[in-house]
Amino acid sequence: MPRMRVFYEDWQMECCGTPFAVGDEVSWPLAAYDTEGVREGHGYGAEAWVENHGDPDRPVVGRVRAVDLVHEEYGFRLPDPQPGPVKPRGGVVLRGSGRGLEPVPGTVTLEPSAGCPKWFEEVDRGTVDGLGRVRRTRGALVTLELADGTALELPDGTPPQPGDHR
């Protein structure tokens, strides 16, 4: 039976997904990566991704044959030390929030796993070169064995060929 690589993003699983394990039969709404997405590195080498907010009438059925959790490191600027109490004069004091995470090139790793969790982790990696670092689990890269007669269409309506990443 044909196999394909599918990326299940962390936020898709945490929002609307159901955890799964190697050997499980699954039925997922999939969307194929196009050439531009592959060039931009989306999907970590997958041919398609799980799109829980897409067309639920056309799920792809298959059996999970392997799961690799995808980890990637991100850098961010550390906040300036907080000043003492601020007493604005008739105005509003705004302080930025959020970290503005930027991927660190060359830090993607795959960890073989027996299954995919519902919730993904983020680990503080400390400070490197003056930037904060975190390691995030971005999702699961799944080897899916397609059921007989199951096909996935690319955005142009044609079925993908093995290794075809249009």
Side-chain angles (χ1 to χ4, degrees):
M1 289 195 198
R3 293 182 179 204
M4 73 179 331
R5 298 281 276 176
V6 175
F7 184 55
Y8 208 128
E9 288 183 87
D10 55 348
W11 73 270
Q12 291 272 7
M13 174 57 73
E14 290 176 355
C15 168
C16 309
T18 301
F20 56 89
V22 172
D24 286 354
E25 184 173 276
V26 296
S27 177
W28 293 332
L30 298 182
Y33 285 106
D34 60 14
T35 305
E36 183 177 336
V38 171
R39 269 196 312 269
E40 292 177 4
H42 298 290
Y44 304 95
E47 297 166 73
W49 77 92
V50 176
E51 178 51 83
N52 288 323
H53 303 92
D55 184 0
D57 297 332
R58 299 181 48 200
V60 172
V61 177
R63 187 160 307 278
V64 176
R65 292 300 179 200
V67 176
D68 291 302
L69 298 180
V70 178
H71 305 288
E72 188 167 8
E73 284 195 23
Y74 291 81
F76 59 94
R77 297 222 177 275
L78 297 170
D80 292 330
Q82 294 294 322
V86 176
K87 296 181 182 179
R89 294 185 185 187
V92 176
V93 175
L94 299 176
R95 290 202 172 108
S97 63
R99 297 178 291 181
L101 297 177
E102 293 290 330
V104 177
T107 61
V108 173
T109 59
L110 300 179
E111 174 191 355
S113 179
C116 180
K118 175 69 173 172
W119 306 104
F120 293 85
E121 67 179 17
E122 179 176 294
V123 177
D124 185 350
R125 303 290 276 188
T127 304
V128 178
D129 297 328
L131 295 176
R133 282 265 185 98
V134 293
R135 178 179 181 246
R136 298 184 71 194
T137 305
R138 299 286 298 133
L141 189 57
V142 180
T143 301
L144 188 63
E145 183 176 77
L146 301 177
D148 285 336
T150 300
L152 173 68
E153 290 183 0
L154 293 167
D156 65 4
T158 62
Q161 302 302 310
D164 184 4
H165 297 288
R166 284 187 274 168

